[in-house]
Amino acid sequence: MSSSTLPLPLVAGVAVAAAGLGALGTYALITSRKDKGSSSSSSSSSSSAPRSMTSKSDWQKFDKNYADTELRIIREEEERKQKALLSGSKDEVFLEQMNRTILFYGEDAFDRIRHARVVVVGLGGVGSAAAHVLLRSGVGWMRLVDPDVVTLSSLNRNSLAMRKDVGRAKVTVLKDYFAAISPETTVEAMQMFFTEDLAPTLLQCNPSFVLDCIDNRDTKVALMHYCKVNNIPIISAFGAGSTCDPTKISITDIADTFGCPLGRDVRKHLRLRNVTNGILCVSSIEKDRKKMIPLTDDEIAEVKLQKEQGVKRLLRIGTLGVSMPIPNIFGTAMANAVLNSLSGLTVIFKGEIYVPPSSNESMRWHKILTKTEHHLSKTPPGDVARALSADDLKYVAEHVWGGKSSVSPSEQGRGGGGMNIARWRRELPLAINNLVLLNDVEYAYHKKPAIAALPVEKAYPPEIVARIDHVLRLDTDPDHH
């Protein structure tokens, strides 16, 4: 069989294999194939070509030309393959498009995803990203609810909208793009506000999951409450716009959320409706958050007028700076949790849940630390109070040690479960970067006068000392942040 009659995949395979032979091998392969059938031409080419390529640059140019030919063959074959796939039936095209998703979740789980009915309320940076992920993952039916239109300032976070879409309804824009990406998914676009009295109408579709991507507290609380009392699975996004650290984002039950001002406000109002748990939430524990841009005089006047008239605002008036990646990560995390739930995978890893200490707990730590410091180092209580507050101790427990023992993080709570905070190195000042979180057994050992009098290198194994010093040093290193 001559090389001209070889199937294209085999030609591409030969080309790839030949590329590994180096310049001389590739030249020999090309010239032998090119000149087969003309021995005089072959001998002439094989004798003259190598002599003409005497410099390194000659061989580099030859390799580049050969690599370009190889890539062209591979691209042409892939293009031919994709065109053949697209010419098949709709079912064949869809299954090929979802091939990697099916391989990951399995056919039975994908069938559940395919037959799911999902409602996404709010199509800003979070909601548009979540809906986009669910579409590309094969969800068969979606209802999109949002009253707003695409604006220029929203293009920095909307997952699909372009400049040509400015002024169009967000729900319509996403529906149009979704039809081009995966026409097998049924999408309903509803340009309207979600309100409590409309909940029965908007959610009468027997949804498998509702995604709450609303940024208004009252409507968010109303949606979460309605779903909770009607046993509709829901996942809610807390404040994404004011943060910038993706490592602080987590998925937990609402009872385990902390550190988010919007979340705190939502929990407070849900408690008034007797809802304290049973709702999945995506939130961030990031401490340093951007503040709202101050209202203009006109905006202040508008808020005052609405209050006087008893009008309930459905849209936030204040403006908040937004880092594009975070809302998209929030939305992707929400969609991922929904897909895991539909497919039967773990949504929340129970061993990773950390409930922050209460204010009473941090006050208790402060009292014990003050007493211990006075006992071991004769430090006046006033000096401890000036050096550290109860909030400082709470920060150390939450953000430095993640609620786990500094000495034995894998054995949290060993010996009874109580935790305390203590000074790490006695030779260093009492400060936020010189504190460790210890369980009750470790704390009893650490505060013994005989142990406290020793350098930590003599009181603890070297690997523990090195790890704790490393964490405390990183936490205070400005370059690390």
Side-chain angles (χ1 to χ4, degrees), residues 155-470:
L155 291 182
N156 85 315
R157 56 197 181 278
N158 192 292
S159 64
L160 288 173
M162 303 180 187
R163 285 189 178 182
K164 67 182 179 66
D165 300 314
V166 170
R168 297 179 65 209
K170 289 180 179 178
V171 291
T172 304
V173 169
L174 282 191
K175 181 178 180 179
D176 289 348
Y177 283 119
F178 284 5
I181 296 169
S182 182
E184 291 77 14
T185 295
T186 300
V187 180
E188 288 189 359
M190 306 185 75
Q191 187 182 9
M192 56 176 31
F193 283 103
F194 172 86
T195 57
E196 194 159 8
D197 55 340
L198 284 177
T201 301
L202 293 175
L203 302 178
Q204 67 177 354
C205 52
N206 190 28
S208 311
F209 238 103
V210 173
L211 284 78
D212 161 34
C213 307
I214 304 170
D215 59 8
N216 176 276
R217 183 203 66 198
D218 292 338
T219 50
K220 178 180 284 288
V221 168
L223 175 58
M224 295 169 77
H225 177 257
Y226 182 87
C227 288
K228 173 66 175 177
V229 298
N230 288 280
N231 296 315
I232 300 173
I234 181 173
I235 183 168
S236 177
F238 284 171
S242 59
T243 62
C244 64
D245 185 353
T247 67
K248 297 294 193 297
I249 298 172
S250 62
I251 303 173
T252 61
D253 187 278
I254 190 170
D256 299 321
T257 59
F258 67 98
C260 174
L262 174 61
R264 182 168 56 248
D265 209 13
V266 168
R267 288 195 303 273
K268 173 184 174 182
H269 284 78
L270 281 174
R271 278 196 298 271
L272 299 176
R273 296 171 179 241
N274 297 316
V275 175
T276 57
N277 57 27
I279 297 177
L280 277 177
C281 295
V282 178
S283 62
S284 171
I285 62 170
E286 189 170 335
K287 192 173 184 181
D288 298 322
R289 295 171 177 261
K290 296 292 184 179
K291 305 299 182 185
M292 281 276 190
I293 306 300
L295 298 180
T296 64
D297 291 341
D298 289 342
E299 290 170 338
I300 293 174
E302 181 181 349
V303 172
K304 182 178 179 181
L305 180 62
Q306 288 178 343
K307 286 183 178 180
E308 291 173 351
Q309 295 176 344
V311 176
K312 182 177 289 189
R313 286 186 291 115
L314 296 176
L315 286 176
R316 186 185 67 233
I317 290 182
T319 303
L320 188 65
V322 180
S323 170
M324 183 274 181
I326 303 301
N328 277 260
I329 295 172
F330 262 67
T332 301
M334 292 179 79
N336 187 76
V338 171
L339 293 169
N340 283 358
S341 178
L342 293 173
S343 62
L345 296 178
T346 301
V347 178
I348 300 178
F349 294 89
K350 298 295 184 181
E352 296 178 4
I353 293 178
Y354 165 56
V355 181
S358 65
S359 297
N360 289 340
E361 182 75 353
S362 56
M363 289 295 293
R364 183 185 69 83
W365 287 341
H366 199 273
K367 289 178 181 179
I368 293 175
L369 179 64
T370 300
K371 182 179 179 180
T372 303
E373 285 299 310
H374 181 68
H375 175 67
L376 295 176
S377 303
K378 306 302 180 186
T379 306
D383 289 355
V384 176
R386 282 187 288 272
L388 296 165
S389 67
D391 284 342
D392 290 332
L393 303 190
K394 187 176 181 179
Y395 174 81
V396 168
E398 292 179 12
H399 297 282
V400 179
W401 299 113
K404 298 180 180 180
S405 163
S406 310
V407 171
S408 56
S410 62
E411 301 177 24
Q412 183 177 359
R414 175 171 56 86
M419 304 295 283
N420 278 294
I421 288 181
R423 190 199 301 222
W424 172 232
R425 289 182 173 272
R426 288 269 143 209
E427 70 272 19
L428 295 179
L430 185 64
I432 199 169
N433 63 326
N434 190 29
L435 297 174
V436 286
L437 185 64
L438 306 171
N439 63 38
D440 53 1
V441 173
E442 295 161 350
Y443 181 73
Y445 168 80
H446 190 78
K447 73 172 186 176
K448 289 179 179 179
I451 299 300
L454 296 173
V456 291
E457 287 80 3
K458 293 186 177 181
Y460 292 94
E463 62 272 15
I464 291 179
V465 174
R467 179 169 48 78
I468 292 176
D469 282 348
H470 180 67

